[in-house]
């Protein structure tokens, strides 16, 4: 279901644009890229298209998603890999983990492994959901362990050895809609309505287009150097 829905969903499309901007801005000459938890390959396909000369490796602990990823990015190398035991040292210009850390019980180990895999002068790009008070059945269905605060994410990235050089919220302009969606989900749970984990992905095409337009406007602000104080997710770059 995710592989079918993400290509047209505003959230996934916006996140890809955000990550490609972060790569161009911070690592424009990267030669080696590793994605932790590449899933169905949607992010990796966008990065590979934007940086065709860069060598890209995708990895995931769940082999089911790798079949979709291989079809999307035939030029990439894919590994069945546990992020807590990355078999590389001093290897990559950039390692990315996009909405992955929240699934992992001991995220500190993963961040240390990422630091080990990045060579001097390289870095990491991370995205995570934020605010535990936004926790809902959607997080449970996605097998999340936590949502992050700015302080927690920054401290853990720095404890792994990185210097955090940029950190910002995103999904900020649509944040009120996200809060409403999560609170309504909690209300439906109280009246014993079954949770639909794909409800937020199956938007009416017009609403999806409006939301993507709003997100594109937010991206313009981020490109101008505005750092959003609040939002549904957080982007972090470390060196």
């Amino acid at each position: 279901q995710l592989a079918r829905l993400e290509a047209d969903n505003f959230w996934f499309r916006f996140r890809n644009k955000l990550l490609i901007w972060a790569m161009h801005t911070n690592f424009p000459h990267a030669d080696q890229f590793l994605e932790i938890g590449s899933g169905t390959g949607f992010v990796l396909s966008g990065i590979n298209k934007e940086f065709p000369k860069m060598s890209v490796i995708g990895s995931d602990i769940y082999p089911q998603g790798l079949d979709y990823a291989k079809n999307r990015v035939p030029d990439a190398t894919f590994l069945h890999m546990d992020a807590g035991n990355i078999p590389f040292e001093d290897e990559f210009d950039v390692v990315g983990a996009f909405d992955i850390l929240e699934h992992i019980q001991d995220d500190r180990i993963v961040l240390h492994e990422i630091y080990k895999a990045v060579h001097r002068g390289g870095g990491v790009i991370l995205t995570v959901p934020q605010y535990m008070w936004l926790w809902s059945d959607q997080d449970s269905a996605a097998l999340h362990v936590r949502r992050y605060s700015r302080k927690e994410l920054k401290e853990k990235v720095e404890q792994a050895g990185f210097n955090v050089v940029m950190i910002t919220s995103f999904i900020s302009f649509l944040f009120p809609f996200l809060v409403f969606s999560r609170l309504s989900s909690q209300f439906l749970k109280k009246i014993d309505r079954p949770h639909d984990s794909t409800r937020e992905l199956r938007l009416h095409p017009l609403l999806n287009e409006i939301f993507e337009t709003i997100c594109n406007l937010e991206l313009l602000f981020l490109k101008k150097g505005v750092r959003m104080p609040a939002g549904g997710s957080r982007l972090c770059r470390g060196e």
Side-chain angles (χ1 to χ4, degrees), residues 9-81:
N9 181 266
F10 80 92
W11 189 90
F12 290 97
R13 290 165 62 87
F14 169 59
R15 188 182 62 171
N16 263 24
K17 294 173 188 175
L18 179 68
L19 295 174
I20 288 169
W21 163 71
M23 286 285 294
H24 272 300
T25 303
N26 302 290
F27 305 105
H29 305 298
D31 292 320
Q32 300 278 342
F33 175 83
L34 170 67
E35 184 184 8
I36 305 296
S38 52
T40 63
F42 184 65
V43 174
L44 203 62
S45 66
I47 290 176
N48 182 63
K49 183 177 180 180
E50 194 71 19
F51 299 89
K53 295 182 180 180
M54 184 171 65
S55 173
V56 294
I57 296 178
S59 67
D60 209 291
I61 196 170
Y62 297 113
Q64 299 93 327
L66 294 179
D67 291 334
Y68 292 95
K70 289 173 184 175
N71 288 330
R72 273 180 165 158
V73 200
D75 295 335
T77 300
F78 290 96
L79 303 174
H80 181 207
M81 187 185 79

Side-chain angles (χ1 to χ4, degrees), residues 180-191:
F180 174 78
S181 175
R182 294 306 169 89
L183 292 179
S184 65
S185 176
Q186 294 172 17
F187 172 75
L188 292 174
K189 181 179 179 180
K190 290 180 180 179
I191 61 175

